[in-house]
């Protein structure tokens, strides 16, 4: 009888440990949940691009990145994998779809576009400005007055 109770307790402890271990291993890999992971993945895909700011969507599945030279980047989570895009001038179309929503269409990756909802209106406006800046990234770098900087 004692052996039966001991075996049942060991099996129960093993199942509990397995569930906790599995959950702990999956949490860091939850795509879009960790901005640090997004920065690392984008850095692997585009090592020459410096990231200035990161904004995630409300569901955490998409990350928009503002880059150092006026360009923008986008990362979509597909399970445990990301697809990274460097948004080239003239390859994106943005339209407002509500106070916290944007409809974004990518010319070079049409399947990645869609309706994106952000945490608040400020983030949606910021991302739309990044996309607008990615249309002509060279202008801001050429003339400080264009960027709103005093001369």
């Amino acid at each position: 009888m004692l052996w039966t109770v001991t075996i049942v307790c060991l099996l129960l402890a093993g199942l509990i440990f397995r569930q906790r271990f599995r959950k702990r291993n999956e949490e860091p890999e939850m795509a879009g949940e960790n901005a640090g992971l997004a920065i690392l993945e984008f850095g692997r895909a585009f090592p020459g691009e410096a990231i200035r700011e990161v904004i995630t969507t409300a569901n955490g599945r998409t990350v928009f990145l503002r880059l150092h030279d006026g360009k923008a980047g986008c990362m979509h989570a597909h399970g445990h994998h990301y697809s990274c895009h460097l948004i080239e001038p003239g390859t994106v179309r943005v339209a407002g779809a509500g106070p916290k929503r944007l409809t974004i269409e990518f010319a070079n990756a049409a399947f990645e576009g869609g309706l994106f909802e952000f945490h608040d209106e400020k983030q949606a406006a910021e991302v739309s400005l990044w996309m607008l800046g990615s249309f002509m990234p060279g202008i801001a770098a050429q003339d400080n007055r264009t960027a709103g900087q005093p001369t």
Side-chain angles (χ1 to χ4, degrees):
M1 180 71 173
L2 182 61
W3 287 103
T4 307
V5 172
T6 304
I7 291 173
V8 169
C9 287
L10 286 174
L11 287 175
L12 186 61
L15 288 174
I16 292 171
F17 177 75
R18 181 178 173 216
Q19 289 296 85
R20 284 190 179 182
F21 184 72
R22 179 183 291 173
K23 189 180 284 188
R24 190 178 321 151
N25 278 346
E26 290 178 0
E27 284 177 4
E29 293 182 353
M30 287 297 290
E33 296 293 328
N34 188 350
L37 180 62
I39 290 170
L40 288 174
E41 291 295 324
F42 194 82
R44 275 190 220 158
F46 300 103
E49 299 293 335
I51 299 169
R52 292 180 72 184
E53 193 173 349
V54 176
I55 293 180
T56 61
T57 56
N59 65 2
R61 305 288 297 162
T62 305
V63 179
F64 291 94
L65 304 113
R66 179 177 163 206
L67 304 176
H68 72 288
D69 57 355
K71 290 188 266 182
C74 179
M75 297 179 57
H76 295 286
H78 300 285
H80 294 293
H81 305 284
Y82 283 103
S83 63
C84 302
H85 299 285
L86 184 62
I87 300 170
E88 299 293 332
T91 61
V92 65
R93 191 170 133 192
V94 181
K100 299 189 291 185
R101 295 180 178 177
L102 293 175
T103 302
I104 301 174
E105 297 175 15
F106 300 101
N108 53 0
F111 59 90
E112 296 292 345
L115 180 67
F116 300 97
E117 184 171 349
F118 296 90
H119 296 285
D120 57 16
E121 295 86 7
K122 182 180 175 187
Q123 288 182 344
E126 189 73 23
V127 169
S128 67
L129 287 174
W130 295 352
M131 297 296 155
L132 238 152
S134 72
F135 283 120
M136 303 179 86
I139 289 178
Q142 290 174 359
D143 188 6
N144 287 341
R145 287 176 280 156
T146 306
Q149 300 292 327
T151 55

